[in-house]
Amino acid sequence: MNQSTVRPGDSVAVDFMTDCDRLLRAPLDKWANDLRCNLESISGEKWNRTRVGSASAYMNLAALVVANSGDLVAAERLCYAQLNWLTRLASESGDVTVLGNAMQPWINLGRLRVLVGNAEDALSHFRLVENLRDEQTAQLGPCCIRPGMWQLLVAAEPDLPNVLWNVFVLEQLKAYLRSGNPGRTLSAATALRDVAPPRTHRYIVEAEIIAFLRSGHADDALQKVAQARPETTSDEIAFLLHQIAAVTVLGRYGQARRLAVGLAAFVTQSDAGSGEPANFLRQLKQLGLLLERLEESRYALAVYLQGTSKCHEQLDEPLYLDFIEGALRLAPEHPCARDWRSARDSLLTGSLYAEVRRRGAVPALDQPSIRGLIVSVQAAAESLGVHTLVE
């Protein structure tokens, strides 16, 4: 490992940029109310596998909404309520394939462990593909998936192995990175490369790049960038952002500026993010921060304005605030600055996202829309699925 000469203050913020399964973060009150209505609309229906899948999807999103509001304890309760419901439904109906819906709440419980700093405790939640591969029993809280069930679950959901491999690789690496141990991340990446399918290797390479950058080994990060095999335009943008970060840390500012300005011109004059808007917005934010670091204020402002424009089309509330604040930093006297300040103040006082409210107000856990969603999920989990499934 080559140690580059990096001063402590020279690091740049880096995070995963290739994870394309992110969701746009709509206003939580509206999201919560929509989910509550969706759950209530199917509560009186006869149950079949399709409706079980729909209810499970709503419950998964409900736990995400509650976690984003800052109430991680309540989010955990919802995950367990869903697991108990699916266990009861499988037992009473005799249809074990409904337990395929138990994978996501179990994985979500692992993500919650990571958020509270228990990365090691979370890892067992991300290793279900090992149970599937080896046809071993998996205990998902109250749900027990026995060896003979795996073939039935895959027959019902053929993409299940691919989903679980992605979780196995990506969520483990995220957990190690969040724990603040770059060395452990690199060890895990090496081990994963020996067992994971080639299509997941872009996550492994990116985790190594991030670990090297966070530990001050920018030369090694650049070497890993050169080894990356991007599969999509979004991947290409992601690895280019990491390249810009690395050469910035190394003090090669001319090269960094050329790369960053070129990328800014591309992303502000194309529809590069049309396929993966949530991930593209994160990439815009990272590019804006890098351009600011490189003192390319005009281009940074253009990127932030592109971000605000995209958020008007497909809102991600926390990122919308990031773009507004970036624009205000760079152009406080801009003709639109008054509108930006008004929008910023509304978000800081009205948003239910914990990460937004921490910037301007005390996190609001006991909101009617969030409380109503929690009650709705718990009621559904207690009352649904007591009848035999119909085809």
Side-chain angles (χ1 to χ4, degrees), residues 66 71 74 77-78 365 369-379:
V66 173
D71 196 342
R77 287 202 306 270
L78 294 188
L365 300 183
S369 58
I370 303 298
R371 186 168 63 251
L373 178 61
I374 293 171
V375 170
S376 179
V377 172
Q378 291 173 330

Side-chain angles (χ1 to χ4, degrees), residues 169-235:
V169 174
L170 186 56
E171 297 299 336
Q172 282 195 75
L173 293 171
K174 284 183 174 181
Y176 285 125
L177 284 169
R178 190 176 181 90
S179 71
N181 190 336
R184 185 69 184 87
T185 304
L186 293 169
S187 299
T190 299
L192 287 168
R193 186 175 278 109
D194 292 336
V195 298
R199 59 181 175 73
T200 66
H201 285 192
R202 74 186 198 273
Y203 299 139
I204 297 172
V205 171
E206 186 174 20
E208 291 172 320
I209 292 168
I210 296 169
F212 281 134
L213 284 172
R214 290 184 180 178
S215 58
H217 298 87
D219 286 327
D220 294 288
L222 275 181
Q223 290 178 19
K224 285 294 178 181
V225 170
Q227 296 172 18
R229 297 292 179 267
E231 298 181 5
T232 64
T233 299
S234 179
D235 284 354

